[in-house]
Amino acid sequence: RADAVDDGVNNQRQSLPEFLKDTLIHRFGLKSIALTNLQALILGVRKGSKGDESKGDDTPKRLRMFGYVAGILDHDGWHEDLSNFVLHALGSMFRRENIKENMDHAPKKNLAVDAALALESTEDAWGRFGFGATPPDLHERIVDMAREVGGALRLHDWLDLITMKWLDASHQVQKDMLATFIEHDSNGDGVLDFEEFQGMVNSLVMGTGEGSAEAVDTHIVMKIFGEALEESGHMDPGGDGDAMVPQAFVRVARTYHLSASHKPMASPVAAVDPSPEEE
């Protein structure tokens, strides 16, 4: 619901870690109490995710998946879009109005989902918050898992599979972006000036679109450039304010879905100046 509210007023979605923190503050009233409970949650998830699954208890797997999505467990490919991806997949699998909160779910209960629907939901979510076409090996693995258990999938096995596949793909995208940054750093000084940055944006946009793509307007590139410099200031407070660090570029580039291996769900123009989607 929080995402739907943000989407409705063209606000950037709040990341799941930020949402968890704000939810606990709202629940407990005092920030100190909320942060104490948040720390307990983090420690509990980290400990529980390492539990024994040999006797059919899927609690560790469920906690591990939640830990990755919430940014509690470390992974080099983590990004805010992971929660969007997983929640979109679940939303495609289950209609939101039919979901009811159930605090009595037994950890050992094997929740099964239809394999065909799992494939459809995976492809839908991957196309929206993933990286181009669904990887063939992911499709094949879902099919194989369904065959192993008679045509259906255990819900948490499916979620674990698509979460880890997304994280691995995300990590590769980030490495590709850093390589692209270095390639376009023609001065070799580790930063990009505006001309180099403009060449970078246009290279990424033209490299991800289908067919021919037009260069992005200069004033749009300037907005993206400004955000990258601002992010650089947060990452390197001691900098001179004009230098752009590679990690800041990667973060902003991912916000605008710019990547040679990531088909954008919207152009940078739409991201800066969104227009209503056609029904």
Side-chain angles (χ1 to χ4, degrees):
R1 293 181 178 179
D3 286 343
V5 172
D6 286 334
D7 292 345
V9 294
N10 293 324
N11 283 340
Q12 183 175 349
R13 290 183 174 185
Q14 190 177 34
S15 68
L16 186 54
E18 294 172 338
F19 178 78
L20 285 174
K21 180 180 177 180
D22 288 352
T23 297
L24 290 175
I25 292 176
H26 177 75
R27 178 178 180 181
F28 294 103
L30 295 176
K31 184 176 181 180
S32 59
I33 298 178
L35 294 181
T36 297
N37 281 272
L38 179 60
Q39 182 65 20
L41 172 65
I42 292 172
L43 293 176
V45 169
R46 288 177 176 172
K47 181 179 179 180
S49 65
K50 300 177 181 178
D52 183 12
E53 300 178 47
S54 62
K55 297 182 180 180
D57 185 357
D58 66 359
T59 301
K61 181 176 293 184
R62 294 163 62 191
L63 287 173
R64 187 166 58 249
M65 191 277 293
F66 173 76
Y68 280 128
V69 173
I72 294 174
L73 300 180
D74 295 330
H75 193 288
D76 290 336
W78 188 87
H79 185 268
E80 291 91 337
D81 267 349
L82 174 59
S83 60
N84 291 326
F85 167 72
V86 172
L87 292 176
H88 190 86
L90 285 170
S92 297
M93 176 72 71
F94 306 106
R95 296 180 62 183
R96 188 175 67 180
E97 58 268 25
N98 292 338
I99 298 177
K100 296 181 180 179
E101 185 176 17
N102 182 0
M103 303 300 292
D104 299 321
H105 168 59
K108 295 184 181 180
K109 185 176 181 180
N110 295 329
L111 295 179
V113 294
D114 180 75
L117 186 55
L119 281 170
E120 181 181 341
S121 299
T122 301
E123 291 175 354
D124 185 25
W126 197 277
R128 180 80 183 274
F129 296 106
F131 312 94
T134 305
D137 60 334
L138 176 58
H139 184 283
E140 293 171 2
R141 182 57 188 144
I142 292 176
V143 172
D144 290 341
M145 289 170 62
R147 288 172 178 167
E148 292 169 3
V149 292
L153 288 172
R154 281 167 44 89
L155 174 63
H156 296 104
D157 287 344
W158 169 64
L159 288 174
D160 183 66
L161 173 66
I162 65 174
T163 296
M164 298 312 299
K165 189 66 177 179
W166 191 97
L167 284 168
D168 291 342
S170 175
H171 186 209
Q172 184 60 52
V173 162
Q174 291 180 175
K175 290 194 295 184
D176 291 345
M177 285 183 173
L178 287 174
T180 304
F181 183 97
I182 295 173
E183 178 185 349
H184 284 76
D185 178 25
S186 59
N187 294 335
D189 56 3
V191 297
L192 293 176
D193 61 25
F194 179 74
E195 290 185 359
E196 292 168 334
F197 185 82
Q198 187 173 34
M200 167 82 74
V201 170
N202 285 322
S203 173
L204 289 172
V205 171
M206 293 178 181
T208 56
E210 297 180 359
S212 59
E214 295 182 358
V216 183
D217 287 344
T218 300
H219 77 281
I220 299 296
V221 179
M222 290 179 66
K223 290 183 179 181
I224 304 173
F225 184 66
E227 289 186 23
L229 285 176
E230 183 178 357
E231 185 66 23
S232 295
H234 294 317
M235 291 184 173
D236 183 18
D240 59 14
D242 295 325
M244 183 182 300
V245 298
Q247 291 79 7
F249 162 71
V250 170
R251 185 171 181 81
V252 174
R254 292 204 63 170
T255 299
Y256 285 91
H257 302 274
L258 304 174
S259 169
S261 58
H262 179 180
K263 183 179 180 181
M265 64 183 209
S267 68
V269 176
V272 174
D273 186 18
S275 58
E277 294 183 0
E278 297 180 359
E279 298 295 335

